[in-house]
Amino acid sequence: MTVTDVGEFGLIDRVTARLAQGQSCLLGPGDDGAVVAAPDRRVVASTDVLVEGRHFRRDWSAARDVGHRAAAANLADIAAMGATPTALLVALCMPAELDPTWAEELADGLGAEAALVGASVVGGDMSASPTLTIAVTALGDLAGRPPVVRSGARPGHVVALAGRTGWAAAGYTVLSRGFRTPRLLVEAFRRPEVPYAAGPAAAAAGATAMIDVSDGLLADLGHVAAASGVAVDLRREAFEVPRQMRDAAAALGVDPYTWILAGGDDHALAATFPPDAALPDGWRPVGRVVPQVTGELPQVQRGHHRAGALRR
């Protein structure tokens, strides 16, 4: 059976029947639009697209895994603003010959990841396409707090990290070399473990800037540095290399710090805090914000890794 056999409306019915609705959803799938509660009277919104062959491969990840990854990439952005995710909207473009059970299992993954934060998949769209593409929009609630943006870092602030980095990149390298083990690393690529609650906790604790680590810690802190007009020094000794990652790196001939500092897709959260702020549970200091030197490029010196805005 294919998507063509089931038909668009038949597939929509099969998918939406699998999606539970949380408390923030006042009206779910089935109408021209969904209705989501917005007690704060402001809505944080973010969107992301996953394209087969570029962001995921069906021979590497099951449909449910892809659903978890697609939801996580967007929910993490909401958490990085200091907000609590409330809803997801999903657009699915797929080849006509796709097995409809793949779309159903994708929905299972999307719904399960959203449920981790009490959010719901409240609607979306489907269309035929030669390339399997998943576009997700996430909504979130600030609970009365100001959003934590990228431009608030100042010299002297503490740089802290919640969650792990390097695991998904290590898993990607393992898969790209044709292996399926260590399983712990492969599963980290397939389903990131996002510290969602750490975002609102950081906002409540006075975080001055925050970002979702999706493209690599140095690259993403570089965005914070550029927006804030500062540089960021990271302490190499603040990053422990887990045994499984160390063993895999030795076997594959990779410097594990390349994964930890430059690897993406774990969706850890990085933030800056005033020097006298008490870091919430789950956050650990990894560096500090320093003044930017005009013309300075990101560099490594004296055991420190520096991420800064590129100025020419």
Side-chain angles (χ1 to χ4, degrees), residues 252-281:
L252 297 171
V254 176
D255 179 354
Y257 284 100
T258 300
W259 290 333
I260 290 171
L261 295 173
D265 291 329
D266 282 297
H267 300 292
L269 300 179
T272 60
F273 294 85
D276 57 349
L279 297 183
D281 290 342

Side-chain angles (χ1 to χ4, degrees), residues 67-121:
H68 277 274
R69 285 191 68 210
N74 289 271
L75 297 171
D77 283 336
I78 301 300
M81 298 297 293
T84 299
T86 56
L88 294 177
L89 296 160
V90 182
L92 176 61
C93 301
M94 55 200 150
E97 67 274 11
L98 184 73
D99 187 330
T101 60
W102 195 93
E104 293 173 355
E105 291 171 8
L106 173 76
D108 290 341
L110 288 161
E113 190 71 22
L116 293 177
V117 292
S120 314
V121 181

Side-chain angles (χ1 to χ4, degrees), residues 18 50 52 56-71 92 98-113 132 134 190-191:
R18 308 170 81 95
L50 275 71
E52 184 178 20
F56 69 92
R57 286 174 46 169
R58 277 185 277 169
D59 58 330
W60 284 5
S61 302
R64 190 179 179 99
D65 295 328
V66 177
H68 277 274
R69 285 191 68 210
L92 176 61
L98 184 73
D99 187 330
T101 60
W102 195 93
E104 293 173 355
E105 291 171 8
L106 173 76
D108 290 341
L110 288 161
E113 190 71 22
L132 183 56
I134 307 152
R190 289 173 174 161
R191 293 192 189 185

Side-chain angles (χ1 to χ4, degrees), residues 213-285:
V213 183
S214 56
D215 296 322
L217 186 59
L218 285 178
D220 287 317
L221 283 175
H223 297 320
V224 171
S228 300
V230 297
V232 173
D233 272 349
L234 300 181
R235 295 181 289 106
R236 185 184 180 98
E237 62 270 20
F239 299 91
E240 179 184 356
V241 181
R243 177 184 57 80
Q244 299 90 336
M245 190 182 297
R246 183 175 62 249
D247 293 346
L252 297 171
V254 176
D255 179 354
Y257 284 100
T258 300
W259 290 333
I260 290 171
L261 295 173
D265 291 329
D266 282 297
H267 300 292
L269 300 179
T272 60
F273 294 85
D276 57 349
L279 297 183
D281 290 342
W283 287 89
R284 65 187 190 277

Side-chain angles (χ1 to χ4, degrees), residues 19-45:
L19 298 172
Q21 301 303 314
Q23 293 183 349
S24 295
C25 178
L26 305 180
L27 180 64
D31 220 301
D32 288 336
V35 180
V36 179
D40 183 78
R41 300 182 66 186
R42 296 171 299 172
V43 176
V44 179

Side-chain angles (χ1 to χ4, degrees), residues 143-161:
R145 293 183 297 267
V148 184
V149 295
R150 300 178 180 183
S151 57
R154 298 293 180 265
H157 286 185
V158 174
V159 180
L161 186 69

